[in-house]
Amino acid sequence: MERSGSGRGGGRGRRSPSTPPVVVGKEQCGCVRGSEEKNQPQNSSPDSHSDSDSVGIGVAKLNICDDVDKPLSSAAAAVGEGGFDICPRKQPGIVVLNPSLLVKNRERRRSSNSNSNSLLLRPGMVLLRGYLSLSDQKKIVERCRELGVGVGGFYQPGYGEGIEMHLKMMCLGKNWDPLTSQYGEQRPFDGAKPPLIPPEFLTLVSNALRDSNALFPHNNLPSISPDICIVNFYSQTGRLGLHQDKDESTDSLRRGLPVVSFSIGYSAQFLYGDDRDPDKAQKLQLESGDVLIFGGPSRNVFHGVTAIDKASAPNLLQHINLRPGRLNLTFRQY
């Protein structure tokens, strides 16, 4: 979780380089309920782009007036102070207990059964069910929170002309610009350099690819040295249309270097298929701790998120200290 030609923003409100990127402030959105939807331009956005996450699904201004769905002010997004925090505010007098033995045992069983529950969805596309342990998920949330409130952290992306993506986004390693569908070393609207990808994230990616190839030796995928990670946070109303992740280099795409996607928090209704018609797409529920990998013959698969399951992981979110919603990290090599 696209493009025109080789760009990921094909037809999606692309502007000339002289047009300033959009960072939507509260005064622009106003949290107006029932705002008129605009059709989302086809075939664009990170899965983030991106697990991000449409044809058949309009793109409207965010219309839920709560802390999650209010766009950041331009100033806050630019300086990285007072920006979007993926962790809930601590309420006075509320004590967050450590995970119960029941929760720990359930997560341990799910993690230990990840091999037997893993699926080869299609050639080049693998789902590792429950691959990330509860401890790993908690550490990922903590690290993303730390990076997300700093310079180059989470902001409200848009495609111009008042069209916003239904998520908050942060880029690590390289910046991906929704307006131009290109990668760069800085964010155009504030000049911030994306934070580096934490080494522990790279280790998890390497391990996931190794274990995927061990489970499905006839579906061997090449290893990668990720230099891009797009981190998306979907609120309970978040979504991302069907798109392809194909803004990486020609060599990366030609070699079929895989995209590795981590899911944490609420479950997501995930679609994937050979074209951008959602009625022809396969449906899949991505749950917290799942790792999805697609490369080789599936490197250019269309994929998107149609809905977030609002009742899927309330207890888990308390233990990993994540806002109600879904955190998605997609790793790739440019």
Side-chain angles (χ1 to χ4, degrees):
M1 91 11 107
E2 230 185 40
R3 344 169 159 208
S4 164
S6 63
R8 189 175 262 113
R12 200 176 246 193
R14 180 177 294 185
R15 298 184 173 189
S16 66
S18 61
T19 304
V22 174
V23 180
V24 182
K26 293 181 181 178
E27 69 282 359
Q28 291 169 277
C29 177
C31 286
V32 178
R33 296 184 182 276
S35 58
E36 180 181 356
E37 291 198 350
K38 299 183 180 181
N39 290 331
Q40 176 177 351
Q42 293 180 346
N43 190 24
S44 179
S45 79
D47 163 2
S48 274
H49 250 184
S50 310
D51 233 273
S52 211
D53 197 69
S54 97
V55 173
I57 299 176
V59 172
K61 289 188 175 182
L62 298 176
N63 57 12
I64 304 299
C65 292
D66 58 22
D67 289 341
V68 175
D69 285 323
K70 287 181 181 177
L72 306 182
S73 69
S74 298
V79 301
E81 297 178 355
F84 180 71
D85 192 341
I86 62 172
C87 295
R89 294 185 179 92
K90 300 293 185 182
Q91 299 296 327
I94 295 181
V95 177
V96 178
L97 301 177
N98 289 327
S100 66
L101 183 60
L102 177 63
V103 170
K104 287 182 178 179
N105 286 338
R106 183 171 64 241
E107 290 300 315
R108 189 178 296 114
R109 286 195 302 272
R110 189 166 183 263
S111 180
S112 64
N113 291 332
S114 62
N115 287 353
S116 59
N117 293 332
S118 296
L119 300 171
L120 179 60
L121 301 173
R122 52 186 279 164
M125 192 169 189
V126 173
L127 174 62
L128 301 177
R129 280 281 188 208
Y131 185 82
L132 300 173
S133 68
L134 188 60
S135 175
D136 285 337
Q137 294 177 60
K138 189 173 188 298
K139 292 175 182 176
I140 291 171
V141 169
E142 290 173 348
R143 197 74 176 95
C144 286
R145 189 265 171 188
E146 177 186 344
L147 296 172
V149 297
V151 175
F154 285 106
Y155 75 104
Q156 175 65 64
Y159 298 111
E161 300 178 356
I163 300 177
E164 304 167 20
M165 295 175 68
H166 288 257
L167 47 80
K168 297 293 191 291
M169 184 171 75
M170 170 176 65
C171 297
L172 306 178
K174 293 181 181 294
N175 181 72
W176 180 78
D177 183 3
L179 282 176
T180 63
S181 299
Q182 293 179 350
Y183 288 108
E185 300 303 320
Q186 295 178 318
R187 294 200 305 208
F189 65 86
D190 64 357
K193 187 173 181 179
L196 298 177
I197 303 174
E200 58 270 30
F201 290 7
L202 300 178
T203 299
L204 289 171
V205 170
S206 176
N207 291 345
L209 282 169
R210 178 201 63 202
D211 292 343
S212 172
N213 287 336
L215 282 170
F216 304 103
H218 299 298
N219 185 70
N220 194 68
L221 291 171
S223 60
I224 60 173
S225 298
D227 50 7
I228 302 161
C229 176
I230 297 179
V231 186
N232 288 334
F233 181 82
Y234 300 81
S235 72
Q236 298 175 74
T237 58
R239 61 184 184 266
L240 181 63
L242 282 166
H243 64 278
Q244 294 170 296
D245 290 351
K246 58 178 185 178
D247 289 335
E248 292 69 48
S249 69
T250 301
D251 181 64
S252 180
L253 298 174
R254 178 184 58 79
R255 295 165 59 193
L257 298 186
V259 174
V260 180
S261 170
F262 294 172
S263 293
I264 300 176
Y266 281 8
S267 299
Q269 294 179 18
F270 183 80
L271 299 184
Y272 65 95
D274 292 322
D275 57 45
R276 47 170 118 44
D277 185 350
D279 293 330
K280 297 179 181 179
Q282 298 292 313
K283 296 179 176 62
L284 180 69
Q285 190 87 346
L286 289 179
E287 301 174 353
S288 193
D290 287 351
V291 173
L292 180 69
I293 304 171
F294 53 95
S298 288
R299 180 58 179 81
N300 290 329
V301 68
F302 285 86
H303 57 284
V305 170
T306 59
I308 301 299
D309 184 351
K310 300 176 183 179
S312 55
N315 293 329
L316 175 67
L317 294 190
Q318 181 185 28
H319 300 313
I320 62 178
N321 193 32
L322 181 66
R323 279 183 184 273
R326 173 181 182 249
L327 185 67
N328 176 234
L329 294 79
T330 56
F331 300 86
R332 59 206 78 188
Q333 180 177 327
Y334 183 77

